[in-house]
């Protein structure tokens, strides 16, 4: 590459490809977004009354809705990231990634195209999920600063899970494996503070639930959206986990790509 | 750049192992610009590994490789700018249309938008894909996918093209079409490295053939040179009657005799000199010959005698000319 402009140009080309593929294959996006929306409706309208009563003496369905939305948002992020693993694995198994690797293009653009595409897809997905939540009665009370901080944290968390998924997509030998591997990500909010407060869990599970990456992210998002005080330690842990996963995922994905795990 | 006078591809001492398995065990080869060079060998001989190394996908354990005048180890990006690769599996984007696939390649080659469109249309036309340009490759036949794959490879106007088993799995008619496309490429001055397990394909297309077996080149030359390497070439002479047969057999030093069909098999290297010598002797003995045929060994014989085992079965016999 002789000029700096070319890697950016290649990344834009790859991003366009990613977005076009999403439009061509809308059922995947619908399936990925269907899951968090289904969970939202299920937990609010079926379990919400009972679970809300567990939140406190005055708790009800509306309180539970406010409680569960941040967890649903992280499931949305994880679910869309799963789609990324699938597309990356498709590229690798269909041989087009090998073709890209024999071309004099920016090496990074092949993967960043997927990551940028996922960021946009996630943003759209979060807006849709939030709209469903608002229709169900969710009334966030965040100020502009709170929204910006929440958005910033979600973007960082999305970058983290996306790079991890790119690596999982590359390490998978088949598209099927790629669609199963990151599934555990969408389950983690259940083993954290996504659906019930962690202090209601048995001690051994609570240790895991309190410190796994989703819990601090969900707690911080919840505080930001509801306008309650943000716990500094939790926020630091949320940013720390996200940065660590992003870095680890990026380094792993890059090394897999260079080693040619794509057959 | 003296690319026209130096080899398009030169490989010396190429080695590659995966774990304990030695895949390439010291391969040397030189491909002259504008020619088709075929690597012939059965599955597992190391053909794809060679292509993967030469096309920068794999790093060799040892050896030096120059492609289009650039050192592979030192300047892989310069090599990538000069090459095009069509692999064994059609590397097309199944969710994009045929035209979009070509435009994607044009964008990645940093062509101007209008130039990219022009190039895409021209290639669609040339490969007879214009009618399906707006459809996704999922709806294409195997032959059409390969053609789209090759068209994508050509968007960047490469000077050296690697074709890894370009017709594996194609029906005889699609194979013919693919062969025509490949011949057409060298007419445009492109250098081609073609791997194949089909002897007929190498025979049909290649200027030079190298036989690869267990990671080593066991022979190299033109198809004719290779055929002359092996015994088994003979003249088949038939005679009108038993007397002629006996006379001829005596004159030619008792070669293999088939009494019932009144024929003789005379070993020969297939050269004109050897043929003339046989005819002179028959002339001298005043024997009438009813029919004469020259049987030269085909590449199947070559392969068998060079490696001690046969190649993959030849499914394209019906396409033989």
């Amino acid at each position: 590459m002789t000029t700096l402009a070319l890697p950016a140009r290649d990344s834009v080309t790859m991003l366009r490809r990613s977005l076009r593929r999403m439009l061509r294959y809308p059922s995947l996006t619908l399936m990925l977004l269907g899951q968090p929306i289904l969970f939202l409706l299920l937990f609010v309208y079926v379990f919400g009354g009972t679970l809300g009563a567990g939140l406190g003496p005055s708790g009800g369905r509306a309180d539970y809705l406010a409680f569960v939305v941040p967890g649903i948002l992280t499931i949305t992020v994880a679910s869309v990231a799963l789609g990324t693993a699938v597309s990356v694995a498709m590229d690798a198994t269909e041989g087009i990634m090998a073709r890209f690797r024999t071309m004099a293009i920016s090496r990074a653009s092949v993967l960043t195209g997927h990551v940028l595409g996922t960021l946009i897809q996630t943003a759209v997905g979060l807006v849709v999920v939030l709209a469903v939540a608002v229709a169900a009665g969710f009334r966030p009370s965040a100020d502009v600063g709170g929204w910006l901080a929440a958005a910033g944290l979600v973007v960082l968390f999305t970058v983290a899970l996306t790079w991890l998924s790119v690596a999982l997509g590359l390490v998978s030998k088949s598209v099927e494996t790629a669609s199963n591997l990151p599934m555990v990500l969408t389950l983690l909010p259940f083993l954290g503070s996504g659906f019930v407060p962690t202090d209601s869990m048995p001690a051994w599970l609570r240790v895991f639930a309190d410190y796994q990456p989703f819990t601090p992210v969900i707690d911080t998002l919840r505080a930001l959206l509801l306008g309650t005080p943000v716990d500094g330690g939790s926020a630091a842990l949320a940013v720390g986990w996200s940065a660590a996963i992003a870095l680890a995922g990026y380094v792993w994905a890059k090394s897999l790509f260079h080693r040619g795990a794509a057959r | 750049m003296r690319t026209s006078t130096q080899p398009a591809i030169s490989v010396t001492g190429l080695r590659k192992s995966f774990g304990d398995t030695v895949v390439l065990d010291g391969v040397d080869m030189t491909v002259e610009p504008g020619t088709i060079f075929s690597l012939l060998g059965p599955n597992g001989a190391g053909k794809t590994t060679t292509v993967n190394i030469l096309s920068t996908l794999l790093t060799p354990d040892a050896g030096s490789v120059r492609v289009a005048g650039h050192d592979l180890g030192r300047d892989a990006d310069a090599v990538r700018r000069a090459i095009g690769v069509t692999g064994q599996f059609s590397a097309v984007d199944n969710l994009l249309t045929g035209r979009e696939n070509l435009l994607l390649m044009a964008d990645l080659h940093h062509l101007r938008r209008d130039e990219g469109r022009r190039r895409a249309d021209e290639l669609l036309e040339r490969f007879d894909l214009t009618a399906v340009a707006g459809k996704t490759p999922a709806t294409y036949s195997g032959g059409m996918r390969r053609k789209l794959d090759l068209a994508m490879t050509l968007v960047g106007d490469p000077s050296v093209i690697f074709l890894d088993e370009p017709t594996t799995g194609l029906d005889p008619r699609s194979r013919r079409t693919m062969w025509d496309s490949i011949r057409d490429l060298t007419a445009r001055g492109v250098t081609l490295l073609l791997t194949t397990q089909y002897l007929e394909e190498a025979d049909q297309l290649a200027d030079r053939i190298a036989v690869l077996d267990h990671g080593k080149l066991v022979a190299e030359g033109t198809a004719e040179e290779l055929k002359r390497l092996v015994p088994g070439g003979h003249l088949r002479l038939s005679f009108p009657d038993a007397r002629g047969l006996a006379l001829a057999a005596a004159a030619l030093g008792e070669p293999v005799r088939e009494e019932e069909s009144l024929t003789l098999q005379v070993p020969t290297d297939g050269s004109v000199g050897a043929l003339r010598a046989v005819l002179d002797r028959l002339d001298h003995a005043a024997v009438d010959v009813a029919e004469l045929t020259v049987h030269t060994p085909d590449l199947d014989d070559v392969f068998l005698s060079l490696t001690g085992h046969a190649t993959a079965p030849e499914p394209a016999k019906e396409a033989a000319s």
Side-chain angles (χ1 to χ4, degrees):
Chain A
M1 293 292 106
T2 44
T3 64
L4 277 173
L6 291 183
R9 186 171 166 184
D10 290 341
S11 293
V12 170
T13 301
M14 290 300 190
L15 169 62
R16 261 209 313 271
R17 163 174 183 256
S18 254
L19 294 176
R20 189 165 277 153
R21 284 169 61 88
M22 287 169 194
L23 293 176
R24 249 344 114 62
Y25 192 11
S27 55
L28 180 65
T29 307
L30 289 179
M31 194 196 78
L32 296 173
L33 290 184
Q35 190 185 12
I37 290 172
L38 190 72
F39 279 153
L40 177 67
L41 300 177
L42 184 71
F43 274 85
V44 169
Y45 291 109
V46 179
F47 307 131
T50 310
L51 288 171
L55 288 175
S58 62
R61 198 180 308 282
D63 294 295
Y64 188 70
L65 174 64
F67 180 86
V68 85
V69 166
I72 296 290
L73 294 181
T74 60
I75 287 193
T76 312
V77 172
S79 185
V80 176
L82 188 148
T84 312
V86 171
S87 338
V88 169
M90 275 167 84
D91 274 8
T93 52
E94 283 172 3
I96 192 144
M97 195 171 277
R99 177 188 282 284
F100 291 146
R101 289 171 68 233
T102 63
M103 296 174 70
I105 57 174
S106 146
R107 312 288 272 166
S109 71
V110 178
L111 298 181
T112 49
H114 280 289
V115 172
L116 293 174
T118 306
L119 281 178
I120 292 174
Q121 197 181 20
T122 307
V124 173
L126 288 171
V127 168
V128 171
V129 170
L130 264 179
V132 174
V134 167
F138 180 57
R139 295 293 175 267
S141 44
D143 55 14
V144 176
W147 276 112
L148 287 178
L153 178 58
V154 168
V155 168
L156 183 62
F157 191 58
T158 306
V159 170
L161 292 194
T162 306
W163 273 113
L164 181 63
S165 299
V166 167
L168 290 173
L170 285 173
V171 85
S172 306
K173 292 279 171 274
S174 71
V175 176
E176 287 71 30
T177 321
S179 65
N180 291 332
L181 272 184
M183 197 90 94
V184 65
L185 292 178
T186 60
L187 292 178
L188 279 178
F190 289 94
L191 303 176
S193 63
F195 291 84
V196 292
T198 55
D199 52 22
S200 66
M201 295 176 183
W204 57 269
L205 181 56
R206 211 185 141 178
V207 176
F208 173 78
D210 276 343
Y211 294 101
Q212 62 116 324
F214 279 79
T215 298
V217 172
I218 291 169
D219 288 349
T220 307
L221 272 184
R222 188 177 286 139
L224 288 169
L225 291 180
L226 301 182
T228 56
V230 174
D231 180 277
S234 181
L237 199 56
V239 172
W241 262 124
S242 303
I245 295 172
L247 188 67
Y250 173 74
V251 171
W252 189 22
K254 215 177 146 184
S255 104
L256 286 171
F257 182 72
H258 281 284
R259 237 188 297 152
R263 186 171 15 213
Chain B
M1 278 281 142
R2 300 179 300 121
T3 34
S4 55
T5 56
Q6 60 190 348
I9 303 170
S10 70
V11 174
T12 37
L14 193 62
R15 283 172 200 284
K16 179 77 184 174
S17 303
F18 295 108
D20 291 339
T21 318
V22 178
V23 181
L24 294 178
D25 193 9
V27 170
D28 303 299
M29 62 185 185
T30 305
V31 182
E32 295 306 323
T35 62
I36 302 186
F37 187 93
S38 175
L39 264 185
L40 176 68
N43 280 331
K47 302 187 300 286
T48 299
T49 304
T50 307
V51 168
N52 284 350
I53 290 173
L54 265 49
S55 62
T56 78
L57 284 174
L58 277 178
T59 331
D61 297 340
S64 77
V65 178
R66 291 181 73 82
V67 178
H70 306 287
D71 186 280
L72 189 74
R74 270 201 299 269
D75 200 356
D77 248 0
V79 171
R80 291 187 189 115
R81 266 191 286 277
I83 64 169
V85 187
T86 284
Q88 230 175 100
F89 308 95
S90 315
V92 302
D93 188 324
N94 285 311
L95 295 181
L96 302 184
T97 65
R99 170 181 264 105
E100 283 168 348
N101 266 297
L102 291 169
L103 291 175
L104 173 66
M105 291 298 118
D107 284 343
L108 290 176
H109 283 292
H110 311 120
L111 298 184
R112 280 206 329 271
R113 180 135 305 188
D114 54 336
E115 203 188 327
R117 282 208 196 101
R118 197 181 49 74
R119 191 102 183 94
D121 287 338
E122 181 190 301
L123 286 164
L124 286 167
E125 180 100 7
R126 179 163 145 202
F127 284 93
D128 214 8
L129 292 169
T130 309
V132 292
K135 295 200 171 108
T136 58
T139 63
Y140 289 12
S141 69
M144 285 153 81
R145 288 173 64 87
R146 292 292 176 95
K147 285 200 284 185
L148 177 61
D149 189 308
L150 186 55
M152 284 167 76
T153 299
L154 296 181
V155 171
D157 225 352
S159 63
V160 176
I161 297 179
F162 299 101
L163 296 173
D164 192 12
E165 302 199 10
T167 65
T168 297
L170 293 187
D171 61 76
R173 226 187 87 213
S174 308
R175 171 169 300 177
R176 295 253 124 187
T177 320
M178 199 70 184
W179 284 353
D180 289 340
S181 308
I182 292 170
R183 284 196 195 97
D184 183 48
L185 289 176
T186 39
R188 291 160 194 255
V190 174
T191 308
L192 273 157
L193 180 80
L194 166 93
T195 78
T196 183
Q197 46 177 321
Y198 303 131
L199 303 151
E200 192 205 349
E201 186 160 289
D203 207 355
Q204 284 271 340
L205 295 174
D207 298 303
R208 288 186 79 75
I209 299 170
V211 181
L212 189 64
D213 189 47
H214 293 303
K216 283 186 174 139
L217 290 189
V218 291
E220 202 207 299
T222 62
E224 294 315 310
E225 282 166 358
L226 288 182
K227 286 172 190 170
R228 251 180 272 142
L229 276 178
V230 295
H234 57 259
L235 295 178
R236 205 176 158 81
L237 304 160
S238 11
F239 301 91
D241 50 41
R243 194 186 143 264
L245 181 70
L247 277 174
L252 295 170
E254 293 299 323
V256 181
R257 219 166 138 154
E258 290 173 33
E259 300 289 349
E260 279 166 42
S261 56
L262 299 173
T263 57
L264 286 179
Q265 278 188 30
V266 187
T268 167
D269 58 3
S271 67
V272 176
L275 181 61
R276 184 175 296 133
V278 170
L279 294 178
D280 282 349
R281 281 171 168 203
L282 291 172
D283 218 28
H284 207 75
V287 186
D288 264 352
V289 180
E291 198 185 332
L292 179 149
T293 50
V294 183
H295 177 88
T296 42
D298 58 15
L299 282 170
D300 278 300
D301 302 328
V302 176
F303 204 84
L304 193 61
S305 105
L306 284 173
T307 66
H309 55 85
T311 55
E314 174 69 282
K317 270 284 188 277
E318 67 270 40
S321 47

